[in-house]
Amino acid sequence: MKVTIDGHEIEVEPGTSILQAARMIGGESVPPAMCYYSKLEGTGGKCRACLVEVSKGSEADPRPMPKLMASCKTGVMDGMEVKSISSPRVLEARKSVTEFLLINHPLDCPVCDQAGECDLQNLAFQHGKEQKRYQEEKRTFEPENIGDNIQLHMNRCILCYRCVKTAEQLTDERVHGVCGRGEHAQISTYISAAIENEFSGNMIDVCPVGALTDKTFRFKSRVWFNKPYNAHRNCPTCSGKTTVWMFGDEIQRVTARKDEFHEVEEFICNSCRFDHKETSDWVIEGPRKFEKFSVINQNNYTKKLDHVVIKTEEHILEGREQDRKKISMKAIPFTNEESKE
């Protein structure tokens, strides 16, 4: 079946969502997604950041859908026409959704380990409003210890449920979830149990904000100071394919490899993530490439640079010899007549 998104037509298989079709097209037409995760089942439909306008339902029923639709949960129909970045309604709705997500989010960017690779930062930069209208106090939660490897900052959580789905689908027994309702809802282990499953570290990678961070990397460095390299090792538990983040010769953290939509390609075990921080533990494949405007890519060390030779005269900073003679005070004789003037 055919679907058109922002004037770009593409053929997709039945059952494909609008968001998936937009990702096949790529570019600015791809809606942002804070809760949807293609590698996890049952995600999406919670953050509403991926809203799009369906200007034509299908060839059989060309009527437009009256409301904006969540692209991650709306399947395409043959002949459907969708407006994403080209719709003023969609852009205004995304601004409102971003404002809503930031209502209770603290200004922790200066001290948050997620800064520089935060999906909420990117969303606020692209669709955020300049003014703030919220006057009430932000909600706060008491710190909770959930284990030796993962740091939980519930104040930053946007309740995307990604970490819950990760624990349900990757681990043998989930010990955490969403407790409470409404503005009292929070991620918790309920009885302060430690999250120690072998694949629990993947919750750090799927979290779109700084609610779940790596304790072994906490406050060590900023991501833009590290050099990410693809690496692998022979691991009996997982594929062993990772990205190692190096500062000089030191591996400061290990993460799973992510695609252009910041989604994990293959989930890795805690042993690879937390226990192997020596360069001798890994086979370094090469630098990891990131999108052009990513803060992680600011040094652009993956770009091939041509050697530039600048042909100049000798001592160019001092100027030419003939010019120095003309403007030099030593070359002008001093006379008493000039001093009297």
Side-chain angles (χ1 to χ4, degrees):
M1 57 179 59
K2 294 182 180 180
V3 59
T4 303
I5 303 176
D6 287 341
H8 302 282
E9 186 177 85
I10 187 174
E11 292 190 9
V12 297
E13 296 293 330
T16 304
S17 68
I18 296 176
L19 178 59
Q20 292 169 339
R23 288 185 173 184
M24 294 177 188
I25 296 174
E28 294 183 349
S29 296
V30 180
M34 301 297 294
C35 63
Y36 172 79
Y37 212 81
S38 63
K39 309 301 188 300
L40 300 172
E41 298 178 0
T43 57
K46 299 176 180 64
C47 70
R48 320 306 288 181
C50 65
L51 292 175
V52 294
E53 179 182 348
V54 181
S55 57
K56 180 181 177 181
S58 65
E59 288 292 346
D61 186 2
R63 293 177 300 174
M65 295 185 180
K67 296 183 179 180
L68 300 181
M69 306 300 294
S71 60
C72 64
K73 287 294 187 179
T74 306
V76 301
M77 302 293 289
D78 189 29
M80 177 181 282
E81 295 182 4
V82 179
K83 293 181 180 180
S84 178
I85 199 70
S86 61
S87 171
R89 286 179 61 197
V90 170
L91 296 179
E92 187 60 32
R94 288 178 186 173
K95 288 182 180 181
S96 299
V97 169
T98 304
E99 183 181 11
F100 180 77
L101 291 176
L102 292 173
I103 279 179
N104 287 303
H105 198 80
L107 186 59
D108 281 350
C109 299
V111 296
C112 180
D113 286 323
Q114 193 82 355
E117 53 181 1
C118 177
D119 292 337
L120 188 58
Q121 274 186 337
N122 297 336
L123 183 68
F125 178 76
Q126 296 172 354
H127 301 286
K129 292 185 177 181
E130 295 180 359
Q131 71 276 11
K132 186 181 80 168
R133 297 180 293 174
Y134 194 70
Q135 297 179 353
E136 288 76 10
E137 292 185 5
K138 295 178 181 289
R139 66 175 187 174
T140 57
F141 297 90
E142 293 296 326
E144 182 178 355
N145 184 15
I146 61 173
D148 297 332
N149 296 321
I150 304 174
Q151 178 68 42
L152 172 62
H153 293 274
M154 187 55 218
N155 294 338
R156 303 172 185 167
C157 181
I158 62 171
L159 293 175
C160 69
Y161 284 73
R162 282 184 181 179
C163 63
V164 179
K165 296 296 182 182
T166 301
E168 283 182 348
Q169 298 172 30
L170 295 184
T171 64
D172 298 330
E173 184 179 355
R174 176 167 62 89
V175 297
H176 83 290
V178 178
C179 302
R181 300 180 66 183
E183 68 173 3
H184 300 291
Q186 68 178 99
I187 297 294
S188 175
T189 57
Y190 189 66
I191 53 174
S192 298
I195 300 178
E196 297 176 340
N197 189 278
E198 184 61 26
F199 282 84
S200 61
N202 291 288
M203 297 192 306
I204 299 172
D205 285 336
V206 303
C207 183
V209 293
L212 296 168
T213 53
D214 185 348
K215 276 188 176 180
T216 64
F217 179 67
R218 195 179 186 206
F219 302 141
K220 271 191 175 182
S221 179
R222 289 301 199 180
V223 292
W224 53 84
F225 293 138
N226 291 154
K227 301 296 186 186
Y229 293 88
N230 282 343
H232 69 270
R233 59 180 290 267
N234 293 325
C235 179
T237 309
C238 67
S239 65
K241 297 179 180 179
T242 65
T243 297
V244 295
W245 299 74
M246 301 184 66
F247 188 82
D249 295 330
E250 177 190 2
I251 296 179
Q252 294 195 331
R253 71 166 180 166
V254 179
T255 64
R257 299 183 186 180
K258 296 185 178 182
D259 59 20
E260 58 183 317
F261 304 111
H262 307 164
E263 293 186 358
V264 170
E265 296 175 358
E266 295 183 57
F267 293 106
I268 62 174
C269 64
N270 285 4
S271 178
C272 288
R273 185 184 301 273
F274 300 119
D275 299 336
H276 296 275
K277 297 292 183 68
E278 300 294 332
T279 54
S280 57
D281 296 334
W282 299 95
V283 177
I284 307 297
E285 300 174 8
R288 180 74 172 170
K289 292 185 178 181
F290 286 86
E291 52 265 34
K292 179 179 179 182
F293 298 105
S294 171
V295 68
I296 303 172
N297 200 33
Q298 68 158 1
N299 294 324
N300 208 16
Y301 62 93
T302 60
K303 181 179 179 181
K304 183 180 179 180
L305 297 177
D306 297 327
H307 183 64
V308 179
V309 178
I310 302 177
K311 296 181 180 180
T312 61
E313 295 184 39
E314 188 178 1
H315 308 302
I316 189 172
L317 296 179
E318 299 178 3
R320 296 184 302 176
E321 183 66 25
Q322 58 268 36
D323 293 334
R324 290 204 305 273
K325 288 182 178 179
K326 291 179 182 178
I327 64 175
S328 175
M329 295 300 295
K330 294 181 180 180
I332 302 176
F334 177 80
T335 62
N336 291 330
E337 286 76 10
E338 292 174 348
S339 62
K340 293 177 182 179
E341 295 177 358

